[in-house]
Amino acid sequence: MVTVSLGVLVSGRGSNLQAIIDAINGGKLNAAIRIVISNKKDAYALERAKKAGIKTIFIDPKDFLSWQDYEQQMVSQLKANGVELVILAGFMRILTPYFVNAYKDRILNIHPALLPSFPGLHAQQQALEYGVKVTGITVHVVDEGMDTGRIILQRVVDVLSNDTVKSLSERMLRIEHQVYPEAIALYCK
Ligand code: GAR
């Protein structure tokens, strides 16, 4: 089977990145992470990647006049490293049509809600405020809208009556770690 070359974009702690690294190392996902790119210098995700021997780069938004220039730099790094599929793992910027077209149908995102419910930021808080009894995880292809692309996999998570944003987010995160590698494997197949 072909090994798919991944590029992972991160902004923060990188627990989903870690789950993907672990799935690859455990033989559950036939892929290789060619590069991890962060828009935040102190993202813990960069440490996780380095520990796993993966190439990392921090691209400083301050070095670019526009977000489109920034995205061009990301695309050229991804292409230079042979990346076929881009994985957003807690990357907290919206990609413009330029980037989406450069990797058309080859960008995946994980979102902590059952899309199309609760897109955007603070999805778990939105779910609690609405009072839904179930929420969940969605892995989808990234298109030009916000959290609107084709859905690959979803998993339902119960909302408990005593849940806080913290307790719900933690329970959901454990499911995210199972679902993301599974969805990537499915999409690669
Ligand atoms: C995850 O919960 C992910 O679903 C969410 O950010 C967190 C990143 O955590 N993404 C979004 O909300 C995208 N709209 P991580 O850095 O530990 O993987």
Side-chain angles (χ1 to χ4, degrees):
M1 214 173 30
V2 186
T3 301
V4 178
S5 293
L6 308 179
V8 185
L9 307 190
V10 297
S11 302
R13 73 189 156 189
S15 70
N16 278 290
L17 167 69
Q18 188 66 56
I20 295 164
I21 293 170
D22 293 346
I24 292 171
N25 291 343
K28 290 185 183 148
L29 174 60
N30 190 17
I33 302 175
R34 303 292 175 205
I35 191 158
V36 171
I37 299 178
S38 175
N39 65 330
K40 299 277 182 198
K41 192 176 183 178
D42 56 358
Y44 185 61
L46 292 172
E47 301 307 316
R48 294 181 190 269
K50 282 178 202 154
K51 264 189 213 144
I54 297 165
K55 182 172 176 179
T56 63
I57 37 169
F58 158 57
I59 308 179
D60 192 344
K62 288 200 221 83
D63 292 341
F64 298 85
L65 287 176
S66 69
W67 181 245
Q68 169 120 2
D69 290 346
Y70 186 88
E71 286 189 336
Q72 273 171 7
Q73 177 62 14
M74 285 202 293
V75 168
S76 72
Q77 286 290 346
L78 292 165
K79 300 255 174 188
N81 285 281
V83 168
E84 298 167 292
L85 182 65
V86 178
I87 305 296
L88 307 185
F91 184 68
M92 292 306 184
R93 286 295 300 245
I94 309 247
L95 297 170
T96 73
Y98 161 75
F99 191 101
V100 172
N101 283 314
Y103 271 96
K104 196 163 174 48
D105 293 325
R106 285 167 176 263
I107 310 168
L108 304 187
N109 183 44
I110 189 161
H111 183 75
L114 291 177
L115 291 171
S117 293
F118 313 129
L121 291 175
H122 312 302
Q124 300 92 335
Q125 188 178 336
Q126 292 184 54
L128 283 174
E129 280 170 4
Y130 198 95
V132 291
K133 301 301 176 198
V134 291
T135 182
I137 317 295
T138 303
V139 178
H140 65 96
V141 178
V142 173
D143 66 8
E144 293 173 9
M146 188 169 60
D147 299 328
T148 52
R150 190 155 55 95
I151 290 170
I152 301 168
L153 207 61
Q154 289 188 305
R155 197 131 307 154
V156 173
V157 176
D158 285 331
V159 179
L160 307 179
S161 57
N162 59 349
D163 258 332
T164 59
V165 172
K166 187 168 180 283
S167 65
L168 178 60
S169 303
E170 283 172 1
R171 203 162 62 253
M172 288 173 74
L173 197 61
R174 288 197 291 276
I175 313 290
E176 289 186 42
H177 298 161
Q178 297 163 14
V179 169
Y180 213 177
E182 211 177 304
I184 296 167
L186 193 65
Y187 197 64
C188 290
K189 211 155 92 183

